[in-house]
Amino acid sequence: MTIPFTDIAQIYCDGAWHAPQAGTEPVINPATEDVLANAPVASAQQVEAAITSAREAFDNGPWPRMSMAERADVVEALARELRARQSQIAELIVAEVGCAASITQLMQVGNPLRLLEAAIGHARREQSERLPIDVTPNPFAPDGPRSIGGTTVVREPIGVVSAITGYNFPFLLNLAKIGPALLAGCTMVLKPSPFTPFSALMFGRLADEIGLPPGVLNIVTGGIEEGQLLCTDERVDMVTFTGSEAVGAQIMGQAAPTLKKVHLELGGKSAMIVREDADVERAAVSAATLLSINAGQGCAIPTRFLVHESQRAGFAATAAAVAEQISVGNPADPATDMGPLIRASQRSKVEHFIELGHSAGAKLVCGGGRPEGLDKGYFTQVTLFDDVTNDMAIAQEEIFGPVGCIIGFSSDEEAIRIANDSRYGLNGAIETADAAKGYEMAMQVRAGSVSLNGGTGTMSDAPIGGYKRSGIGREYGPGWLREYQHEKSIFYPIGR
Ligand code: NAD
């Protein structure tokens, strides 16, 4: 059985499909280690051609000159086509990423589409802004008559956007670039992770179907070298990136000589604070379940569990019991809770951190190895350490696997101090019976989002992004398009 969209053997540029000049590269199914399909790989010249096409479409094509409503109609057609293919997209993600089918449909496909639909709604309501009339003295004749004038602020597309994305939620990450960039009137070149090329190339098929003008959306494949070109080429106006902190820093450096706008959505090491008065049972179930999402390969998953000392033992016991119940295996099986990590290299990284946890003196309370009976696939167990101090590597570094640390605290102030003692600031969580106190504490957490008592469960229409080294800029929510727009102020006199 062929997995949907894995038959795409070409790259998408200037509204047409092109044979890859750098050949093909096998894409591995992480659950079986089999070759899922051979993906096309773009050459450096093809990346440059894609930039040329995006530049031409921006400078001379219809897309940036269309009204917001016209563009919203096209993006809405894209959303409709994506909705119609939800189950195919989910099937692809299960095979490319190894994410359990039981959560893929909603988390990896359904929620991203809701975010896109919200963005279309915001785009339709977008208006220029008129500032209040202003009375200004004449600088050349201060005692002479003053003038009155007004200002209109219009928003225009930034230009050509390079979008570079990671592998863990590929549909969401790609859509989170394509949606707002196109609505704003930008043109773009998208380069996905080499681990998940098909869930990006797929958008080329749909661009054809909805009649997107040539050059508006170009999709190239490849690795670091191709990504570098997209950051250094002077014809690109902005780079939007979702991936690791280290690559984010490189991208900033690569984009600096040409002073491009840089938008970064990076890693995290988010803390869940479990107060003395919390429903510890519920918090522990939630902690272990969150850790298992996509085998821990989620930027915003809480991985540091800061638990009041009076509750720590109970929390650890319940979380470990829940973690041991998580069924690990074939992600395509609807009964599976957790699939594999993306590659052997990622599993080695996770195992390295587990060793560091042991050698630092942390106490393993569950997991710590590979699940039995799974000889193929990059599987790992949900792993929890207790007796962790926040200075240990397992508490400071983003592991990007299902590994959690339990850290004790004795006062709310100490909990906040530990939560903020991280170079990341992506997300956070607070569990407490005193919601008002929890809200006050949420205000003190230096992170782009905080879920109080489980939050709403979905991100719906809220802006998401990082403080500190978790990123620069925001995705989603009413201001999403602004990342892809310039503001222009037009001043005019009134009365003459
Ligand atoms: P990664 O940083 O290894 O790679 C991301 C992309 O960057 C890939 O397409 C890769 O080919 C490209 N790349 C690598 N070096 C480059 C360079 N020098 N110039 C240009 N491009 C380059 O990330 P990953 O392992 O695929 O993804 C996991 C990371 O993404 C984690 O750190 C995770 O926290 C983060 N992430 C963040 C968010 C968020 O919204 N904040 C969401 C998902 C994932």
Side-chain angles (χ1 to χ4, degrees):
M1 186 189 64
T2 311
I3 299 292
F5 307 109
T6 56
D7 58 323
I8 301 177
Q10 299 184 315
I11 59 155
Y12 188 70
C13 174
D14 208 24
W17 293 94
H18 303 267
Q21 288 172 356
T24 61
E25 195 173 74
V27 175
I28 307 297
N29 178 332
T32 61
E33 302 183 31
D34 292 336
V35 175
L36 182 61
N38 286 304
V41 184
S43 66
Q45 289 79 354
Q46 286 183 308
V47 174
E48 286 184 0
I51 297 171
T52 304
S53 158
R55 188 76 254 170
E56 174 61 24
F58 188 80
D59 292 341
N60 299 312
W63 190 252
R65 287 152 201 92
M66 284 161 63
S67 69
M68 187 63 91
E70 288 169 325
R71 286 196 298 266
D73 287 345
V74 178
V75 177
E76 201 157 270
L78 174 68
R80 259 197 316 274
E81 294 303 322
L82 291 168
R83 277 238 174 256
R85 290 168 175 80
Q86 276 189 88
S87 51
Q88 289 164 272
I89 298 168
E91 201 185 331
L92 171 63
I93 291 170
V94 170
E96 262 191 335
V97 182
C99 187
S102 52
I103 58 166
T104 298
Q105 184 75 45
L106 184 69
M107 292 188 76
Q108 295 256 19
V109 188
N111 283 346
L113 282 171
R114 286 181 53 205
L115 293 164
L116 177 67
E117 285 156 0
I120 295 168
H122 289 301
R124 290 200 187 283
R125 290 188 290 278
E126 168 104 351
Q127 283 182 342
S128 60
E129 201 179 324
R130 254 164 307 181
L131 300 186
I133 287 168
D134 203 14
V135 172
T136 351
N138 181 344
F140 304 108
D143 299 329
R146 293 171 303 162
S147 58
I148 60 170
T151 300
T152 295
V153 182
V154 294
R155 299 195 178 85
E156 298 181 343
I158 277 196
V160 173
V161 175
S162 290
I164 301 172
T165 52
Y167 72 84
N168 60 329
F169 278 71
F171 178 69
L172 168 69
L173 304 189
N174 295 329
L175 195 65
K177 310 302 184 193
I178 294 171
L182 294 195
L183 284 167
C186 295
T187 62
M188 66 190 299
V189 182
L190 169 69
K191 193 206 82 65
S193 163
F195 298 153
T196 52
F198 296 111
S199 42
L201 290 164
M202 171 199 87
F203 282 99
R205 279 208 180 145
L206 302 188
D208 271 351
E209 282 178 30
I210 60 168
L212 204 62
V216 173
L217 172 64
N218 305 276
I219 306 161
V220 297
T221 47
I224 297 175
E225 196 195 332
E226 290 68 28
Q228 282 169 338
L229 284 173
L230 289 172
C231 303
T232 50
D233 194 301
E234 62 182 1
R235 297 168 297 168
V236 172
D237 299 294
M238 168 178 173
V239 183
T240 176
F241 171 74
T242 303
S244 62
E245 173 203 1
V247 174
Q250 285 167 18
I251 283 179
M252 248 183 131
Q254 289 160 192
T258 48
L259 287 171
K260 300 182 198 319
K261 174 168 182 180
V262 177
H263 172 211
L264 303 172
E265 300 287 340
L266 309 176
K269 192 76 192 178
S270 303
M272 173 190 280
I273 297 174
V274 182
R275 288 185 81 228
E276 187 173 13
D277 65 357
D279 177 343
V280 169
E281 181 105 352
R282 201 183 65 105
V285 171
S286 153
T289 313
L290 287 169
L291 263 191
S292 74
I293 291 174
N294 204 19
Q297 298 163 113
C299 54
I301 295 175
T303 49
R304 288 185 297 147
F305 305 113
L306 316 187
V307 186
H308 192 272
E309 287 295 359
S310 64
Q311 303 282 17
R312 189 152 68 95
F315 178 92
T318 306
V322 173
E324 275 156 12
Q325 293 302 309
I326 286 168
S327 66
V328 184
N330 175 10
D333 180 346
T336 296
D337 297 319
M338 186 174 101
L341 293 162
I342 191 76
R343 289 290 179 272
S345 55
Q346 186 60 25
R347 185 167 60 179
S348 302
K349 180 180 165 198
V350 167
E351 290 175 349
H352 171 66
F353 276 108
I354 292 173
E355 275 170 33
L356 288 181
H358 287 299
S359 57
K363 182 176 120 203
L364 186 75
V365 290
C366 68
R370 299 181 183 184
E372 279 176 24
L374 294 168
D375 302 331
K376 285 280 186 151
Y378 313 118
F379 294 97
T380 188
Q381 291 176 314
V382 177
T383 296
L384 268 174
F385 281 105
D386 196 359
D387 287 344
V388 176
T389 56
N390 200 50
D391 57 351
M392 292 181 188
I394 52 168
Q396 286 295 322
E397 302 302 323
E398 185 186 49
I399 300 175
F400 224 51
V403 182
C405 309
I406 302 171
I407 302 172
F409 69 85
S410 303
S411 67
D412 291 339
E413 294 69 31
E414 188 186 6
I416 293 290
R417 187 185 56 69
I418 300 171
N420 289 338
D421 179 14
S422 166
R423 65 182 191 277
Y424 296 112
L426 191 57
N427 190 20
I430 298 176
E431 295 287 329
T432 175
D434 182 345
K437 179 68 192 171
Y439 187 80
E440 283 174 355
M441 288 174 72
M443 303 280 273
Q444 296 170 54
V445 174
R446 301 256 312 140
S449 52
V450 182
S451 292
L452 197 48
N453 290 331
T456 58
T458 68
M459 292 192 275
S460 55
D461 195 21
I464 296 290
Y467 281 34
K468 300 188 266 182
R469 292 201 213 170
S470 288
I472 299 175
R474 291 291 178 271
E475 280 184 328
Y476 325 122
W480 197 3
L481 260 63
R482 301 273 183 275
E483 294 285 352
Y484 296 85
Q485 291 173 318
H486 279 306
E487 282 190 330
K488 178 186 280 178
S489 297
I490 302 176
F491 313 116
Y492 42 88
I494 295 174
R496 74 175 150 84

